[in-house]
Amino acid sequence: MAREYTHLEQNRLEKLERLRSLGIEPYPTRAERSHTSLEAIQAFEQREASGKPEGLEVTLAGRLRSMRTMGKITFAHIEDGAGRVQLFFRADDVGQEGLELFNREFDLGDFIQASGEMFRTRTQEVTLRVRSFRMLAKAITPLPAAKDEVVDGQVVRHATLADPERRYRQRYADLAINPEVRQVFRARAAIVRALREFLDARDFIEVETPILQPIYGGAAARPFVTHHNQLKQQLYLRISFELYLKRLLVGNLERVYEIGRDFRNEGVDRTHNPEFTQLEFYVAYADYLQVMELTEQMVAYVAEKVLGKLTLTYQGAEINLAPPWKRLALRDGLLGASGIDIHAHPTASSLLAEMRKIGMQADAHAPRGKLIDALLSEKLEPTLTQPTFLYDYPRDISPLAKSKPGDPQTVERFEGFIAGMELCNAFTELNDPLDQEARFLEMGRDYGADDEQRHPMDEDYLRAMRYGMPPNGGFGMGIDRLTMLLTGSANIREVILFPHLREREGEP
RNA sequence: GGGCGCGUAGCUCAAUGGUAGAGCAGUGGCCUUUUAAGCCAUUGGUUGAAGGUUCGAGCCCUUCCGCGCUCACCA
């Protein structure tokens, strides 16, 4: 495809050629840096405090973000990963030719390196008095940012990249000019790090299980289908890690976790992306009540590490993550939110009739569990602002969870909700191979052979279970949603670096 | 998939159906402590795409493309 450069890009390409004709390589192989912007400023302030500010020689590197040319002097700011620092170019220091080279051939967005002595200007800004400088990487395309200013230490952008489509498609440009976006992804990394710390400190081992699976399972979701050429085998991208992680419990790995990507071939909205990051862990000899305690401790630990506190504001709601979180039986929660007692309606038809009475529309052929799930999503979930564990779910939508003693239609399962969002899902895991086989068969009946959401029979998983699986508690949590919560992001795309958008002609 | 909305210069945005503009960026000047620097001058447009209505369309109509919100769907 023939590339058409804008006149701004053509202008910069001409500068590139002029640099080369002067013997200056616009993309040199090596760079040097003695300090980050922040380190240089802090080092200078320390010297000031000790009474001898002069003589701090540094070499800085970063992206040119502002330039103010004033005849025989030029002020500029460069930005690096740590922040910004002002550069001061003076003809007396860099020579008339040096100053003109900088003014004429260097542009906003270029990466440069500059050496000199740190000082404080008349307006009291800690600044590098540049003695030498060089191009590190010429930018051809101008950043989609206009000017910005610093008011009381805060960068104020007067016009910046705001179009969400452009921000997601060109995340590199979004990151380059919007520091708060960088901050979201630093927070995301800190969240994952804190989760690992928490689990590693409790004798969990981190494992990796197959992403390409011959049989998908562990959740009710439509999979992505792919194919291995040499094996001539259809494979699925995993929709959960569950069945592989529990095989490891059979192998006497008592505490395992995995953090990785799940893929679900379903709708995209503000809390769903077709690929998303999940944490799952399994603990031998634990039940769902112990997992509940571990969950609230873990999320509180992460918040403490990432935010330094247990309270946060999400979309205007004050949320307190301090344990213990509220516990609410699903039956009681639904009764309170909808007036319907699901125990009084043991059949799908009876429950459906009751839901229609309160104005809900529901699929006439849905099994009872799916109706309960619809009731939960529509009536109860939006009301669960403070951290809440809903517990004791219907057996028929929980084929991998163990029944409650004395109540075979209910399983020991809980979901955690915060800010009206489902955050996690956990149960006392079913470890009875005969019961498990019966559940798979039930699912086959309830969903019909053509429903991709039904759990396919996984014979190998049953075989593993027949060798004996210790009683255990299992847990899954969406890292993206946790990140949304802890960074105040309203849309899952704000916490995924490269979210999926519809393909555009000529673009990825 | 349905509904509503949006798409104009590199960026942020204007423009009763009547000559497509502004600020910033860019370009050419002036300027040795500026910080949205200032001052003077100036370049830059297939108004998302294709049709239609009209003497005349950025604006009205149709279709298509993309995005946002929302509903449906969704462990």
Side-chain angles (χ1 to χ4, degrees):
Chain A
M1 185 183 82
R3 176 173 298 101
E4 287 182 17
Y5 289 107
T6 66
H7 69 279
L8 296 175
E9 290 169 328
Q10 285 166 9
N11 182 263
R12 288 175 176 222
L13 287 168
E14 287 163 14
K15 294 184 183 189
L16 191 75
E17 286 314 307
R18 284 203 294 273
L19 285 171
R20 287 207 158 108
S21 71
L22 290 168
I24 297 170
E25 170 53 52
Y27 302 100
T29 306
R30 280 172 242 295
E32 286 172 36
R33 173 164 79 166
S34 68
H35 296 66
T36 66
S37 59
L38 187 65
E39 287 165 354
I41 290 168
Q42 287 175 342
F44 179 79
E45 287 174 341
Q46 279 176 15
R47 275 173 169 262
E48 272 186 329
S50 67
K52 284 190 177 177
E54 3 1 83
L56 177 59
E57 296 286 332
V58 301
T59 297
L60 305 180
R63 193 197 281 279
L64 262 178
R65 291 306 310 277
S66 70
M67 288 173 76
R68 293 173 293 285
T69 66
M70 307 180 59
K72 299 285 194 296
I73 63 169
T74 292
F75 286 95
H77 275 90
I78 58 167
E79 183 170 34
D80 62 17
R84 287 184 178 216
V85 63
Q86 181 167 256
L87 308 183
F88 177 56
F89 297 78
R90 194 169 56 160
D92 298 349
D93 299 322
V94 297
Q96 188 63 35
E97 314 73 40
L99 189 67
E100 280 178 18
L101 177 73
F102 183 74
N103 289 347
R104 304 187 81 88
E105 315 298 1
F106 284 51
D107 289 297
L108 298 182
D110 293 352
F111 281 93
I112 69 166
Q113 174 184 323
S115 301
E117 180 182 348
M118 298 301 291
F119 77 113
R120 198 178 275 278
T121 64
R122 282 179 202 167
T123 54
Q124 302 305 308
E125 179 163 353
V126 178
T127 298
L128 174 65
R129 186 192 310 277
V130 176
R131 205 169 46 244
S132 64
F133 64 95
R134 58 194 282 251
M135 181 70 77
L136 291 182
K138 183 77 186 158
I140 304 302
T141 305
L143 287 172
K147 284 193 178 177
D148 43 28
E149 63 174 325
V150 179
V151 178
D152 300 331
Q154 295 294 310
V155 175
V156 178
R157 268 158 293 115
H158 294 276
T160 190
L161 180 59
D163 173 23
E165 178 180 359
R166 179 83 177 277
R167 287 186 48 233
Y168 300 146
R169 286 193 198 278
Q170 300 185 24
R171 181 69 90 182
Y172 33 88
D174 186 31
L175 288 162
I177 62 182
N178 291 322
E180 70 277 9
V181 176
R182 295 199 289 264
Q183 201 45 48
V184 166
F185 292 100
R186 289 207 174 93
R188 182 176 174 126
I191 288 165
V192 173
R193 192 182 317 127
L195 288 168
R196 286 202 165 100
E197 282 169 9
F198 181 88
L199 293 167
D200 292 345
R202 283 161 184 76
D203 293 326
F204 281 83
I205 64 164
E206 181 171 6
V207 299
E208 294 180 90
T209 62
I211 290 173
L212 294 173
Q213 301 181 349
I215 300 175
Y216 60 95
R222 271 176 272 275
F224 287 92
V225 185
T226 186
H227 185 262
H228 190 288
N229 291 337
Q230 193 198 8
L231 298 180
K232 294 186 173 61
Q233 182 182 12
Q234 177 160 284
L235 292 168
Y236 303 93
L237 273 63
R238 66 181 173 192
I239 57 173
S240 89
F241 325 149
E242 173 150 2
L243 299 183
Y244 281 94
L245 290 179
K246 286 198 293 198
R247 282 171 168 96
L248 299 178
L249 297 188
V250 172
N252 269 26
L253 295 175
E254 295 185 345
R255 291 172 170 233
V256 295
Y257 76 93
E258 179 164 7
I259 292 174
R261 211 69 65 84
D262 274 340
F263 306 86
R264 296 186 185 177
N265 204 340
E266 287 170 352
V268 176
D269 64 26
R270 54 175 285 275
T271 57
H272 295 84
N273 193 62
E275 57 181 293
F276 62 101
T277 302
Q278 180 101 315
L279 162 68
E280 289 192 24
F281 69 68
Y282 294 83
V283 194
Y285 314 115
D287 62 15
Y288 75 146
L289 296 174
Q290 289 161 288
V291 173
M292 253 184 228
E293 287 178 22
L294 205 53
T295 300
E296 60 197 6
Q297 286 167 18
M298 180 171 70
V299 173
Y301 176 85
V302 171
E304 189 65 54
K305 281 279 176 179
V306 175
L307 304 176
K309 57 192 170 112
L310 295 180
T311 55
L312 58 94
T313 305
Y314 185 76
Q315 305 298 303
E318 298 289 329
I319 289 167
N320 186 350
L321 297 173
W325 294 359
K326 183 177 178 184
R327 271 99 165 135
L328 180 64
L330 178 63
R331 176 193 180 187
D332 297 337
L334 291 175
L335 184 59
S338 70
I340 297 175
D341 182 357
I342 56 172
H343 280 211
H345 301 280
T347 65
S349 59
S350 162
L351 182 58
L352 180 66
E354 208 61 20
M355 285 165 65
R356 288 191 166 154
K357 273 187 205 164
I358 62 168
M360 286 183 65
Q361 296 178 348
D363 179 5
H365 303 292
R368 179 171 176 271
K370 277 199 154 185
L371 292 174
I372 290 173
D373 197 47
L375 196 57
L376 163 60
S377 300
E378 190 165 332
K379 296 294 178 186
L380 181 52
E381 185 171 327
T383 72
L384 301 176
T385 302
Q386 295 304 319
T388 304
F389 291 124
L390 281 185
Y391 65 91
D392 289 354
Y393 277 63
R395 167 191 162 111
D396 59 348
I397 52 168
S398 315
L400 304 166
K402 204 170 200 170
S403 294
K404 265 181 97 70
D407 183 359
Q409 290 313 307
T410 303
V411 294
E412 293 197 345
R413 169 181 174 184
F414 74 83
E415 292 186 309
F417 295 85
I418 303 178
M421 217 165 27
E422 181 196 329
L423 187 69
C424 61
N425 180 27
F427 9 102
T428 305
E429 301 291 338
L430 180 56
N431 65 339
D432 173 343
L434 303 180
D435 190 2
Q436 185 66 71
E437 185 165 10
R439 303 286 192 95
F440 279 140
L441 291 170
E442 271 175 39
M443 291 299 284
R445 277 200 302 277
D446 287 350
Y447 281 80
D450 58 339
D451 190 339
E452 282 183 303
Q453 285 185 48
R454 87 191 214 280
H455 279 61
M457 177 74 74
D458 189 336
E459 288 290 355
D460 181 72
Y461 178 64
L462 291 173
R463 175 170 60 194
M465 206 180 260
R466 285 194 296 265
Y467 279 114
M469 178 186 291
N472 69 94
F475 171 88
M477 177 171 70
I479 304 286
D480 310 279
R481 289 183 185 176
L482 180 63
T483 305
M484 288 170 67
L485 187 70
L486 296 184
T487 59
S489 304
N491 194 304
I492 197 167
R493 286 176 167 167
E494 293 294 338
V495 302
I496 293 174
L497 279 167
F498 299 101
H500 285 285
L501 297 181
R502 203 178 301 272
E503 187 174 16
R504 250 191 148 161
E505 205 175 331
E507 294 190 31

